[in-house]
Short mmCIF file of all heavy atoms in Angstrom, two decimals:
data_model
loop_
_atom_site.label_atom_id
_atom_site.label_comp_id
_atom_site.label_asym_id
_atom_site.label_seq_id
_atom_site.Cartn_x
_atom_site.Cartn_y
_atom_site.Cartn_z
N ASP A 853 -109.34 20.41 -49.76
CA ASP A 853 -110.41 21.40 -49.54
C ASP A 853 -111.16 21.59 -50.87
O ASP A 853 -110.53 21.82 -51.91
CB ASP A 853 -109.76 22.76 -49.14
CG ASP A 853 -110.82 23.82 -48.88
OD1 ASP A 853 -112.05 23.49 -48.83
OD2 ASP A 853 -110.41 24.99 -48.73
N ASN A 854 -112.50 21.53 -50.82
CA ASN A 854 -113.27 21.68 -52.04
C ASN A 854 -113.55 23.11 -52.39
O ASN A 854 -114.10 23.39 -53.43
CB ASN A 854 -114.71 20.97 -51.86
CG ASN A 854 -114.48 19.42 -51.96
OD1 ASN A 854 -113.67 18.95 -52.71
ND2 ASN A 854 -115.28 18.74 -51.16
N ASN A 855 -113.12 24.02 -51.52
CA ASN A 855 -113.37 25.46 -51.80
C ASN A 855 -112.30 26.04 -52.58
O ASN A 855 -111.47 26.86 -52.15
CB ASN A 855 -113.60 26.24 -50.50
CG ASN A 855 -114.79 25.79 -49.70
OD1 ASN A 855 -115.84 25.60 -50.31
ND2 ASN A 855 -114.66 25.64 -48.38
N TYR A 856 -112.16 25.55 -53.82
CA TYR A 856 -110.99 26.04 -54.66
C TYR A 856 -111.60 26.87 -55.84
O TYR A 856 -112.81 26.74 -56.18
CB TYR A 856 -110.28 24.85 -55.24
CG TYR A 856 -111.13 23.82 -55.99
CD1 TYR A 856 -111.47 23.98 -57.31
CD2 TYR A 856 -111.60 22.65 -55.28
CE1 TYR A 856 -112.26 23.03 -57.94
CE2 TYR A 856 -112.39 21.74 -55.91
CZ TYR A 856 -112.74 21.95 -57.24
OH TYR A 856 -113.53 21.01 -57.89
N VAL A 857 -110.81 27.83 -56.35
CA VAL A 857 -111.26 28.69 -57.43
C VAL A 857 -110.29 28.40 -58.58
O VAL A 857 -109.01 28.47 -58.46
CB VAL A 857 -111.11 30.16 -57.01
CG1 VAL A 857 -111.47 31.02 -58.23
CG2 VAL A 857 -112.00 30.42 -55.82
N ILE A 858 -110.87 28.06 -59.69
CA ILE A 858 -110.09 27.75 -60.89
C ILE A 858 -110.87 28.12 -62.15
O ILE A 858 -112.11 27.95 -62.16
CB ILE A 858 -109.69 26.24 -60.91
CG1 ILE A 858 -108.80 25.96 -62.12
CG2 ILE A 858 -110.90 25.36 -60.93
CD1 ILE A 858 -108.19 24.58 -62.07
N ASP A 859 -110.21 28.60 -63.14
CA ASP A 859 -110.86 28.99 -64.41
C ASP A 859 -111.19 27.66 -65.15
O ASP A 859 -110.30 26.93 -65.54
CB ASP A 859 -109.87 29.88 -65.21
CG ASP A 859 -110.55 30.42 -66.48
OD1 ASP A 859 -111.63 29.95 -66.83
OD2 ASP A 859 -109.89 31.27 -67.13
N PRO A 860 -112.47 27.46 -65.48
CA PRO A 860 -112.80 26.26 -66.24
C PRO A 860 -112.20 26.19 -67.60
O PRO A 860 -112.20 25.16 -68.26
CB PRO A 860 -114.38 26.28 -66.28
CG PRO A 860 -114.71 27.75 -65.96
CD PRO A 860 -113.64 28.30 -65.13
N LYS A 861 -111.76 27.34 -68.13
CA LYS A 861 -111.15 27.38 -69.47
C LYS A 861 -109.75 26.80 -69.41
O LYS A 861 -109.16 26.50 -70.44
CB LYS A 861 -111.13 28.81 -70.01
CG LYS A 861 -112.48 29.33 -70.36
CD LYS A 861 -112.42 30.80 -70.89
CE LYS A 861 -113.78 31.36 -71.22
NZ LYS A 861 -113.69 32.76 -71.67
N GLY A 862 -109.20 26.67 -68.19
CA GLY A 862 -107.90 26.09 -68.07
C GLY A 862 -106.75 26.98 -68.48
O GLY A 862 -106.95 28.14 -68.82
N ARG A 863 -105.55 26.41 -68.47
CA ARG A 863 -104.38 27.17 -68.92
C ARG A 863 -103.32 26.16 -69.47
O ARG A 863 -103.38 24.97 -69.11
CB ARG A 863 -103.75 28.04 -67.85
CG ARG A 863 -103.15 27.24 -66.69
CD ARG A 863 -102.80 28.22 -65.57
NE ARG A 863 -102.15 27.51 -64.42
CZ ARG A 863 -100.89 27.30 -64.30
NH1 ARG A 863 -100.03 27.87 -65.22
NH2 ARG A 863 -100.38 26.66 -63.30
N ILE A 864 -102.44 26.62 -70.29
CA ILE A 864 -101.42 25.79 -70.85
C ILE A 864 -100.20 25.84 -69.96
O ILE A 864 -99.63 26.94 -69.71
CB ILE A 864 -101.09 26.14 -72.28
CG1 ILE A 864 -102.29 26.01 -73.20
CG2 ILE A 864 -99.94 25.29 -72.81
CD1 ILE A 864 -102.05 26.47 -74.65
N SER A 865 -99.77 24.74 -69.43
CA SER A 865 -98.63 24.67 -68.60
C SER A 865 -97.80 23.40 -68.99
O SER A 865 -98.40 22.35 -69.25
CB SER A 865 -98.97 24.60 -67.08
OG SER A 865 -97.82 24.49 -66.29
N THR A 866 -96.48 23.50 -69.10
CA THR A 866 -95.67 22.41 -69.54
C THR A 866 -94.60 22.11 -68.55
O THR A 866 -94.17 22.99 -67.74
CB THR A 866 -95.05 22.61 -70.94
OG1 THR A 866 -94.21 23.79 -70.88
CG2 THR A 866 -96.14 22.81 -71.95
N GLN A 867 -94.03 20.94 -68.55
CA GLN A 867 -92.88 20.59 -67.79
C GLN A 867 -92.06 19.51 -68.58
O GLN A 867 -92.63 18.84 -69.50
CB GLN A 867 -93.25 20.08 -66.40
CG GLN A 867 -94.02 18.77 -66.35
CD GLN A 867 -94.36 18.32 -64.95
OE1 GLN A 867 -94.68 19.18 -64.13
NE2 GLN A 867 -94.38 17.06 -64.70
N ILE A 868 -90.83 19.31 -68.21
CA ILE A 868 -89.97 18.30 -68.89
C ILE A 868 -89.97 17.07 -68.08
O ILE A 868 -89.62 17.12 -66.86
CB ILE A 868 -88.60 18.83 -69.11
CG1 ILE A 868 -88.60 20.12 -70.00
CG2 ILE A 868 -87.68 17.80 -69.69
CD1 ILE A 868 -87.24 20.79 -70.21
N VAL A 869 -90.33 15.95 -68.59
CA VAL A 869 -90.33 14.63 -67.98
C VAL A 869 -89.58 13.67 -68.88
O VAL A 869 -90.00 13.43 -69.99
CB VAL A 869 -91.79 14.10 -67.73
CG1 VAL A 869 -91.73 12.73 -67.17
CG2 VAL A 869 -92.54 15.06 -66.78
N GLY A 870 -88.50 13.09 -68.33
CA GLY A 870 -87.73 12.11 -69.12
C GLY A 870 -87.21 12.71 -70.46
O GLY A 870 -87.15 12.02 -71.41
N GLY A 871 -86.87 14.01 -70.45
CA GLY A 871 -86.32 14.67 -71.61
C GLY A 871 -87.41 15.09 -72.57
O GLY A 871 -87.11 15.65 -73.67
N ARG A 872 -88.71 14.86 -72.29
CA ARG A 872 -89.74 15.23 -73.21
C ARG A 872 -90.60 16.38 -72.51
O ARG A 872 -90.69 16.47 -71.38
CB ARG A 872 -90.78 14.07 -73.46
CG ARG A 872 -90.11 12.93 -74.19
CD ARG A 872 -91.21 11.86 -74.43
NE ARG A 872 -91.71 11.34 -73.17
CZ ARG A 872 -93.05 11.16 -72.94
NH1 ARG A 872 -93.94 11.49 -73.83
NH2 ARG A 872 -93.45 10.63 -71.82
N ILE A 873 -91.11 17.24 -73.40
CA ILE A 873 -91.96 18.36 -72.93
C ILE A 873 -93.36 17.82 -72.93
O ILE A 873 -93.87 17.36 -73.96
CB ILE A 873 -91.85 19.61 -73.86
CG1 ILE A 873 -90.43 20.18 -73.81
CG2 ILE A 873 -92.86 20.67 -73.41
CD1 ILE A 873 -90.22 21.30 -74.73
N ILE A 874 -94.04 17.85 -71.77
CA ILE A 874 -95.41 17.32 -71.69
C ILE A 874 -96.30 18.44 -71.20
O ILE A 874 -95.85 19.35 -70.46
CB ILE A 874 -95.55 16.13 -70.72
CG1 ILE A 874 -95.19 16.46 -69.30
CG2 ILE A 874 -94.71 14.93 -71.23
CD1 ILE A 874 -95.58 15.43 -68.31
N THR A 875 -97.55 18.38 -71.49
CA THR A 875 -98.52 19.30 -70.97
C THR A 875 -99.08 18.86 -69.62
O THR A 875 -99.55 17.72 -69.49
CB THR A 875 -99.74 19.44 -71.95
OG1 THR A 875 -99.17 19.85 -73.26
CG2 THR A 875 -100.73 20.53 -71.49
N VAL A 876 -99.02 19.77 -68.69
CA VAL A 876 -99.53 19.49 -67.31
C VAL A 876 -100.99 19.51 -67.24
O VAL A 876 -101.67 20.43 -67.79
CB VAL A 876 -98.88 20.45 -66.32
CG1 VAL A 876 -99.41 20.23 -64.91
CG2 VAL A 876 -97.32 20.38 -66.31
N ARG A 877 -101.56 18.53 -66.57
CA ARG A 877 -102.98 18.43 -66.38
C ARG A 877 -103.41 18.78 -64.97
O ARG A 877 -102.79 18.29 -64.01
CB ARG A 877 -103.51 17.04 -66.72
CG ARG A 877 -103.41 16.70 -68.20
CD ARG A 877 -103.63 15.19 -68.52
NE ARG A 877 -102.36 14.53 -68.59
CZ ARG A 877 -102.18 13.36 -69.22
NH1 ARG A 877 -103.21 12.76 -69.87
NH2 ARG A 877 -101.04 12.78 -69.27
N ASP A 878 -104.33 19.67 -64.78
CA ASP A 878 -104.77 20.19 -63.50
C ASP A 878 -105.85 19.21 -62.88
O ASP A 878 -106.93 19.18 -63.51
CB ASP A 878 -105.26 21.61 -63.60
CG ASP A 878 -105.40 22.26 -62.16
OD1 ASP A 878 -105.71 21.50 -61.23
OD2 ASP A 878 -105.30 23.48 -62.04
N PRO A 879 -105.56 18.50 -61.87
CA PRO A 879 -106.59 17.59 -61.31
C PRO A 879 -107.85 18.20 -60.84
O PRO A 879 -108.90 17.66 -60.76
CB PRO A 879 -105.86 16.82 -60.23
CG PRO A 879 -104.72 17.73 -59.83
CD PRO A 879 -104.34 18.47 -61.08
N ARG A 880 -107.74 19.52 -60.48
CA ARG A 880 -108.89 20.24 -59.98
C ARG A 880 -110.00 20.37 -61.01
O ARG A 880 -111.22 20.34 -60.75
CB ARG A 880 -108.52 21.62 -59.45
CG ARG A 880 -107.55 21.54 -58.25
CD ARG A 880 -107.06 22.92 -57.87
NE ARG A 880 -106.32 23.54 -58.92
CZ ARG A 880 -105.89 24.83 -58.96
NH1 ARG A 880 -106.16 25.58 -57.91
NH2 ARG A 880 -105.20 25.26 -59.99
N LEU A 881 -109.60 20.50 -62.34
CA LEU A 881 -110.57 20.59 -63.39
C LEU A 881 -111.33 19.22 -63.51
O LEU A 881 -112.57 19.18 -63.76
CB LEU A 881 -109.88 20.89 -64.71
CG LEU A 881 -109.46 22.38 -64.89
CD1 LEU A 881 -108.51 22.50 -66.04
CD2 LEU A 881 -110.69 23.24 -65.09
N ALA A 882 -110.58 18.13 -63.40
CA ALA A 882 -111.26 16.82 -63.36
C ALA A 882 -112.22 16.66 -62.22
O ALA A 882 -113.30 16.13 -62.38
CB ALA A 882 -110.19 15.66 -63.39
N ARG A 883 -111.80 17.18 -61.08
CA ARG A 883 -112.74 17.16 -59.87
C ARG A 883 -113.99 17.90 -60.15
O ARG A 883 -115.09 17.51 -59.87
CB ARG A 883 -112.05 17.80 -58.69
CG ARG A 883 -111.00 16.95 -58.03
CD ARG A 883 -110.24 17.69 -56.93
NE ARG A 883 -111.14 18.21 -55.87
CZ ARG A 883 -110.73 19.05 -54.96
NH1 ARG A 883 -109.46 19.50 -54.93
NH2 ARG A 883 -111.53 19.45 -53.97
N MET A 884 -113.88 19.09 -60.86
CA MET A 884 -115.02 19.84 -61.25
C MET A 884 -115.99 19.00 -62.13
O MET A 884 -117.20 18.94 -61.95
CB MET A 884 -114.69 21.11 -61.94
CG MET A 884 -114.01 22.18 -61.00
SD MET A 884 -113.45 23.61 -61.93
CE MET A 884 -115.04 24.38 -62.40
N ARG A 885 -115.41 18.31 -63.08
CA ARG A 885 -116.17 17.49 -64.00
C ARG A 885 -116.90 16.35 -63.26
O ARG A 885 -118.03 16.07 -63.45
CB ARG A 885 -115.28 16.96 -65.10
CG ARG A 885 -115.87 15.95 -66.07
CD ARG A 885 -117.13 16.45 -66.74
NE ARG A 885 -116.97 17.64 -67.47
CZ ARG A 885 -117.88 18.38 -67.97
NH1 ARG A 885 -119.21 18.08 -67.71
NH2 ARG A 885 -117.67 19.43 -68.68
N PHE A 886 -116.09 15.71 -62.36
CA PHE A 886 -116.73 14.61 -61.57
C PHE A 886 -117.84 15.13 -60.76
O PHE A 886 -118.89 14.48 -60.63
CB PHE A 886 -115.64 13.99 -60.63
CG PHE A 886 -114.54 13.22 -61.38
CD1 PHE A 886 -113.56 12.57 -60.65
CD2 PHE A 886 -114.54 13.09 -62.75
CE1 PHE A 886 -112.53 11.89 -61.29
CE2 PHE A 886 -113.57 12.38 -63.41
CZ PHE A 886 -112.57 11.82 -62.66
N ASP A 887 -117.70 16.28 -60.13
CA ASP A 887 -118.80 16.84 -59.36
C ASP A 887 -120.05 17.12 -60.18
O ASP A 887 -121.18 16.86 -59.73
CB ASP A 887 -118.35 18.16 -58.68
CG ASP A 887 -117.31 18.01 -57.53
OD1 ASP A 887 -117.20 16.84 -57.07
OD2 ASP A 887 -116.62 18.98 -57.20
N ILE A 888 -119.86 17.65 -61.41
CA ILE A 888 -120.94 17.99 -62.24
C ILE A 888 -121.76 16.70 -62.60
O ILE A 888 -123.01 16.79 -62.66
CB ILE A 888 -120.45 18.70 -63.55
CG1 ILE A 888 -119.91 20.09 -63.21
CG2 ILE A 888 -121.54 18.80 -64.65
CD1 ILE A 888 -119.15 20.74 -64.40
N VAL A 889 -121.04 15.66 -62.87
CA VAL A 889 -121.80 14.40 -63.33
C VAL A 889 -122.03 13.47 -62.18
O VAL A 889 -122.53 12.30 -62.45
CB VAL A 889 -120.97 13.72 -64.45
CG1 VAL A 889 -120.83 14.66 -65.66
CG2 VAL A 889 -119.63 13.23 -64.02
N GLY A 890 -121.68 13.84 -60.99
CA GLY A 890 -121.94 12.96 -59.84
C GLY A 890 -121.12 11.66 -59.84
O GLY A 890 -121.63 10.58 -59.43
N ASN A 891 -119.89 11.75 -60.25
CA ASN A 891 -118.96 10.62 -60.29
C ASN A 891 -119.61 9.44 -61.10
O ASN A 891 -119.59 8.26 -60.65
CB ASN A 891 -118.63 10.16 -58.95
CG ASN A 891 -117.58 11.10 -58.27
OD1 ASN A 891 -117.99 12.13 -57.76
ND2 ASN A 891 -116.31 10.77 -58.36
N ARG A 892 -120.22 9.74 -62.24
CA ARG A 892 -120.83 8.73 -63.12
C ARG A 892 -120.30 8.82 -64.52
O ARG A 892 -119.80 9.86 -64.90
CB ARG A 892 -122.37 8.89 -63.11
CG ARG A 892 -123.06 8.53 -61.79
CD ARG A 892 -124.52 8.74 -61.85
NE ARG A 892 -124.88 10.15 -62.03
CZ ARG A 892 -126.10 10.59 -62.22
NH1 ARG A 892 -127.19 9.73 -62.21
NH2 ARG A 892 -126.37 11.85 -62.38
N CYS A 893 -120.33 7.76 -65.20
CA CYS A 893 -119.78 7.63 -66.56
C CYS A 893 -120.68 8.50 -67.47
O CYS A 893 -121.92 8.38 -67.49
CB CYS A 893 -119.81 6.24 -67.05
SG CYS A 893 -119.22 6.02 -68.77
N GLU A 894 -120.05 9.37 -68.26
CA GLU A 894 -120.85 10.26 -69.12
C GLU A 894 -121.36 9.56 -70.40
O GLU A 894 -122.30 10.04 -71.04
CB GLU A 894 -120.03 11.48 -69.54
CG GLU A 894 -119.71 12.46 -68.36
CD GLU A 894 -119.19 13.75 -68.84
OE1 GLU A 894 -119.93 14.50 -69.57
OE2 GLU A 894 -118.06 14.04 -68.51
N VAL A 895 -120.81 8.43 -70.71
CA VAL A 895 -121.30 7.66 -71.81
C VAL A 895 -122.69 7.05 -71.44
O VAL A 895 -123.66 7.13 -72.20
CB VAL A 895 -120.41 6.49 -72.24
CG1 VAL A 895 -121.02 5.52 -73.19
CG2 VAL A 895 -119.12 7.08 -72.89
N ASP A 896 -122.79 6.54 -70.23
CA ASP A 896 -124.03 6.02 -69.71
C ASP A 896 -123.95 5.99 -68.17
O ASP A 896 -123.16 5.23 -67.61
CB ASP A 896 -124.24 4.59 -70.23
CG ASP A 896 -125.56 3.99 -69.78
OD1 ASP A 896 -126.23 4.55 -68.88
OD2 ASP A 896 -126.04 3.03 -70.43
N PRO A 897 -124.71 6.90 -67.53
CA PRO A 897 -124.64 7.00 -66.00
C PRO A 897 -124.96 5.71 -65.33
O PRO A 897 -124.62 5.55 -64.17
CB PRO A 897 -125.60 8.10 -65.71
CG PRO A 897 -125.76 8.92 -66.94
CD PRO A 897 -125.59 7.90 -68.09
N SER A 898 -125.58 4.74 -66.04
CA SER A 898 -125.95 3.52 -65.37
C SER A 898 -124.81 2.51 -65.39
O SER A 898 -124.97 1.45 -64.75
CB SER A 898 -127.20 2.84 -66.01
OG SER A 898 -126.87 2.39 -67.30
N HIS A 899 -123.68 2.82 -66.05
CA HIS A 899 -122.58 1.87 -66.06
C HIS A 899 -122.12 1.66 -64.66
O HIS A 899 -121.77 2.60 -63.81
CB HIS A 899 -121.46 2.41 -66.87
CG HIS A 899 -121.66 2.30 -68.37
ND1 HIS A 899 -120.82 2.79 -69.35
CD2 HIS A 899 -122.68 1.69 -69.04
CE1 HIS A 899 -121.26 2.50 -70.53
NE2 HIS A 899 -122.41 1.85 -70.39
N GLN A 900 -121.97 0.36 -64.25
CA GLN A 900 -121.58 0.06 -62.91
C GLN A 900 -120.04 0.16 -62.76
O GLN A 900 -119.34 -0.27 -63.65
CB GLN A 900 -121.97 -1.41 -62.61
CG GLN A 900 -123.48 -1.56 -62.49
CD GLN A 900 -124.13 -0.79 -61.38
OE1 GLN A 900 -123.65 -0.85 -60.25
NE2 GLN A 900 -125.12 0.05 -61.73
#
């Protein structure tokens, strides 16, 4: 569902993977970024 609410400033969340503490990445923030740029490369939107 695209009708999600999330703070664009994000939050710090961690979990233990393979004995290491890693920072969790929220895929919804990436979706927001993809929507903003129309699923195009930000270095050059013409990149195929």
Side-chain angles (χ1 to χ4, degrees):
D853 181 12
N854 286 325
N855 295 319
Y856 53 86
V857 178
I858 185 171
D859 186 351
K861 294 180 181 179
R863 66 188 183 93
I864 299 174
S865 177
T866 60
Q867 66 182 35
I868 298 177
V869 175
R872 295 183 299 134
I873 298 175
I874 65 166
T875 302
V876 177
R877 291 169 264 202
D878 191 329
R880 297 174 298 173
L881 285 165
R883 285 173 59 188
M884 290 176 68
R885 172 56 58 193
F886 291 179
D887 289 344
I888 289 169
V889 300
N891 287 82
R892 292 178 294 179
C893 179
E894 291 192 65
V895 169
D896 185 342
S898 71
H899 283 176
Q900 294 297 308

